[in-house]
Amino acid sequence: MEDRPLADLFPPATRERWLGLVEGVLKGGDFEKRLVSKTADGIRIEPLYDPAEPVAQPMRQPGPWRIAQRVDHPAGETARDLALADLEGGADALTLVFSGAPAARGFGLTAATAEALDAALASVMLPLIAIRLDAGGRGLEAAALLKGVAERRGEALGGLDIDLGLDPVGTFAATGRLGADFGKDLSDALATFDGAGFAGRACLADGRPYHEAGASEAAELAAVLATAVAYLRALEAGGHDVARARDAVAVLLVADADEFLTIAKFRAMRRLWARVEAACGLEPKPLRLHAETAWRMMNRNDPFVNILRTSMAAGSAGLGGADSVTALPYTAALGLADAFARRVVRNSQIVLIEESNLARVADPAAGAGSFETLTDALTRTAWEAFQAIEAEGGIVASLRSGALQARIAETAKTREKNVATRREALTGASEFPFLAEKPVTTLDVAPLPGEAVPFGSGEGLTCTPLPTRRLAEPYEALREASDAHLAESGKRPRVFLANLGAVAVFNARSTFAANAFAAGGIEAVNEDGFDAADAAAQAFAKSGARIACLCSSDAVYATHAAAAARALKAAGAARIYLAGKPDEALKAAGVDSFLYAGADLLALLGEARDAAR
């Protein structure tokens, strides 16, 4: 065998060679349509990126991020037991969620005195952990309670890692109410704590209200940055040095299951803040950056899928440079998490840190073409959105006018359409639903309704509050109706699959249809195929179903679907569907609706639910 240079045997990989191979696979297909996608901000996601030069940015030191667990049980003794189990099991930070806070979702600590909060934290060694308060309109009260606990225990505030979490603007966005003197309240609170030796963060610019309302990545970053700048101005106006004001501000971003955008978003936040620091004449330093996994991605149905979502989100936040990560338990959308659900979400992060070694490098995405490009694009897009908020008079003025809400609503509207058409698939809800799932357990604690408490003193300001949404809610409403029908009648609504031809011909569309109808809690019946329309109609009549769906190939539809549709109508089908693209001739023959990729599945399922019962 003739010796040949390795370069001839294995030619170097180039973009041109890759594009040639892609063209061969696409066979004339549209490259842009098939392989390029866009984010909610219109940022292109390419299928291939060239290496990039790393961009220097202030990052946290290499090492594990803090695993923060929510303390949100209303009963102090139970809250203490759960918190101690979390800390003994590997968590090293606590998020104290107080009742009335938007993030408490009807639960939360009810401690009204330092003594009660001290009892809820009994045996918790404060100097060994980090603490973040999440109290919404009760923020000043909660901060005073924690200060009282430290005094009762003789702990110096300067020796504790504390984020007071005061976020009047975020509370305003979530509740629509704010005291006009919130800036003075923040400044006075920081002065009081600094006078007692405090050296931590007093203010928190929180992205959750915007994310839960449907905001894009850039919109969340812009709102958070505008909020942080508002706090800088308020603290400086209150007499605090700008450097201390900078150090008193922390940020919380939402982490979701899109690892590329989550990592890029967290990296972009640090760049944006460094730009603000430079504008203030300050030498940039690492921002205290918290993460919480996304509420809007959580399912009620098939909640075990949430374990995958929160694990991906937590790991992405850590890789993006989060200092601490609070991951929601997989049962969070169903109620207050029990010890098992808390252990699962805690251990998921421990595996990511200790076994997968994700925290060994401070900025592992540095130099990766995809992440550097996305980070840069998000930084630029978010800065433009931030400037728009500033031009409207700042974040409070933008919220009061409704301008920010309107922009977020437009993005949310597009996302809702994508969910309805399954362009944005929700595993366990719109895709691969499991109607025979077993119930999971949560603590037997009912959420308490209550009016949100506004933050701050002075004349009350108002705005239209941002809604809080989970993406799966429309599908869950259909499933709940199906569950009610099952409880009442002993069976779920059914759809008869009128499969035409051999299994090899109808199976793909039959499986597609069964999965789609199950997303609305409608159970598919029949696995047989039929060669004659009369046989399909007779089987339908015996099935007990009230609706039917024709499933086969386009070729079979051309010769058999019209007759089958007429036969099914004659047999009493209240509504007939066909798994395939719309066809006017078949519609004239009696097909009521067509089920295909890209169809408005929510609208179709709503009609099917009413007809199937």
Side-chain angles (χ1 to χ4, degrees):
M1 181 177 178
E2 182 183 355
D3 291 334
R4 297 174 59 191
L6 286 178
D8 292 342
L9 293 172
F10 304 101
T14 64
R15 176 174 289 275
E16 289 69 28
R17 284 188 60 212
W18 178 81
L19 285 172
L21 294 171
V22 169
E23 285 297 325
V25 173
L26 290 179
K27 298 178 179 178
D30 191 321
F31 179 92
E32 290 284 325
K33 185 176 181 180
R34 297 286 186 87
L35 296 179
V36 177
S37 61
K38 290 187 177 181
T39 72
D41 294 299
I43 298 171
R44 288 170 60 88
I45 306 292
E46 302 282 355
L48 185 69
Y49 290 88
D50 293 324
E53 286 296 323
V55 178
Q57 57 191 29
M59 295 291 293
R60 65 174 172 82
Q61 293 298 313
W65 61 86
R66 285 191 178 272
I67 300 173
Q69 292 283 82
R70 289 164 59 95
V71 182
D72 53 2
H73 197 289
E77 184 176 346
T78 305
R80 177 204 64 201
D81 292 343
L82 292 170
L84 288 175
D86 289 331
L87 295 172
E88 291 169 358
D92 55 359
L94 296 177
T95 301
L96 307 185
V97 184
F98 285 76
S99 62
R105 311 193 196 283
F107 303 107
L109 290 166
T110 57
T113 65
E115 181 181 9
L117 182 59
D118 194 16
L121 296 174
S123 300
V124 174
M125 302 179 70
L126 301 182
L128 300 183
I129 65 171
I131 292 178
R132 176 170 63 83
L133 301 184
D134 190 343
R138 294 181 60 196
L140 295 170
E141 174 191 344
L145 294 180
L146 185 60
K147 182 173 179 288
V149 171
E151 291 171 349
R152 286 171 59 88
R153 298 187 179 187
E155 302 283 4
L157 286 177
L160 302 180
D161 189 346
I162 294 176
D163 281 81
L164 299 180
L166 303 177
D167 185 27
V169 174
T171 304
F172 185 43
T175 66
R177 300 168 63 193
L178 176 65
D181 294 336
F182 73 90
K184 182 178 184 302
D185 294 327
L186 286 180
S187 181
D188 290 348
L190 181 60
T192 299
F193 272 79
D194 280 0
F198 179 68
R201 282 72 45 196
C203 305
L204 179 73
D206 189 349
R208 289 176 296 180
Y210 313 99
H211 191 275
E212 290 175 19
S216 66
E217 288 76 22
E220 180 190 350
L221 287 169
V224 165
L225 188 64
T227 300
V229 168
Y231 295 156
L232 281 180
R233 289 174 176 147
L235 294 177
E236 189 176 18
H240 295 279
D241 177 79
V242 67
R244 175 59 185 124
R246 182 266 308 274
D247 294 342
V249 175
V251 162
L252 187 153
L253 293 180
V254 178
D256 61 30
D258 187 322
E259 69 273 27
F260 292 102
L261 282 174
T262 295
I263 292 172
K265 181 171 72 174
F266 276 74
R267 299 178 80 239
M269 184 68 241
R270 292 192 180 277
R271 293 188 189 180
L272 290 164
W273 186 242
R275 191 167 180 176
V276 169
E277 290 175 298
C280 294
L282 298 172
E283 184 69 25
K285 60 190 296 188
L287 167 72
R288 173 59 69 96
L289 184 54
H290 301 285
E292 184 168 288
T293 58
W295 172 251
R296 80 181 184 198
M297 73 178 179
M298 301 296 280
N299 276 17
R300 289 176 61 88
N301 301 119
D302 199 1
F304 293 107
V305 179
N306 293 331
I307 298 175
L308 302 178
R309 293 189 177 104
T310 55
S311 296
M312 179 65 76
S316 299
L319 290 171
D323 293 284
S324 74
V325 178
T326 304
L328 299 180
Y330 72 95
T331 58
L334 293 163
L336 202 55
D338 62 9
F340 176 75
R342 297 173 71 95
R343 179 163 64 91
V344 168
V345 77
R346 183 180 69 238
N347 285 355
S348 296
Q349 291 195 68
I350 292 173
V351 169
L352 293 173
I353 293 171
E354 300 294 341
E355 296 186 23
S356 300
N357 295 304
L358 295 191
R360 293 285 185 180
V361 180
D363 188 12
S370 56
F371 288 112
E372 292 291 4
T373 302
L374 283 175
T375 301
D376 179 68
L378 267 179
T379 301
R380 287 185 285 104
T381 306
W383 186 260
E384 291 174 1
F386 161 70
Q387 288 179 312
I389 294 173
E390 289 291 284
E392 291 161 352
I395 185 72
V396 173
S398 183
L399 287 168
R400 293 187 70 189
S401 71
L404 181 55
Q405 294 93 320
R407 290 194 290 270
I408 292 174
E410 282 298 312
T411 305
K413 184 178 180 180
T414 300
R415 181 173 283 109
E416 288 168 5
K417 180 180 179 181
N418 290 340
V419 168
T421 59
R422 295 197 291 183
R423 182 175 180 177
E424 186 168 345
L426 307 176
T427 304
S430 65
E431 293 281 9
F432 310 110
F434 183 41
L435 294 181
E437 66 181 272
K438 295 181 180 179
V440 296
T441 60
T442 57
L443 295 178
D444 188 17
V445 180
L448 298 174
E451 186 178 6
V453 179
F455 188 106
S457 57
E459 178 186 354
L461 306 178
T462 61
C463 75
T464 300
L466 289 167
T468 176
R469 302 185 179 101
R470 288 182 300 103
L471 297 178
E473 286 178 1
Y475 290 98
E476 291 169 356
L478 293 169
R479 290 281 295 272
E480 287 170 6
S482 172
D483 292 344
H485 189 274
L486 175 64
E488 180 180 341
S489 66
K491 59 183 179 181
R492 293 189 181 278
R494 294 181 171 186
V495 58
F496 177 79
L497 300 184
N499 301 317
L500 305 179
V503 172
V505 175
F506 69 72
N507 187 59
R509 278 179 168 159
S510 180
T511 302
F512 172 79
N515 179 63
F517 281 105
I522 300 173
E523 184 179 16
V525 295
N526 182 51
E527 296 180 357
D528 298 327
F530 305 98
D531 294 323
D534 290 345
Q538 291 171 10
F540 167 77
K542 294 177 182 178
S543 71
R546 299 192 68 248
I547 60 175
C549 182
L550 293 163
C551 303
S552 194
S553 66
D554 290 342
V556 172
Y557 286 156
T559 56
H560 292 75
R566 287 191 288 267
L568 289 167
K569 281 286 186 184
R575 196 166 185 85
I576 297 176
Y577 299 87
L578 182 141
K581 291 286 187 179
D583 184 291
E584 289 300 320
L586 294 177
K587 191 172 182 179
V591 176
D592 297 290
S593 298
F594 296 83
L595 177 61
Y596 55 94
D600 188 336
L601 183 61
L602 279 174
L604 183 147
L605 290 174
E607 297 169 350
R609 173 198 59 194
D610 297 336
R613 291 185 293 190

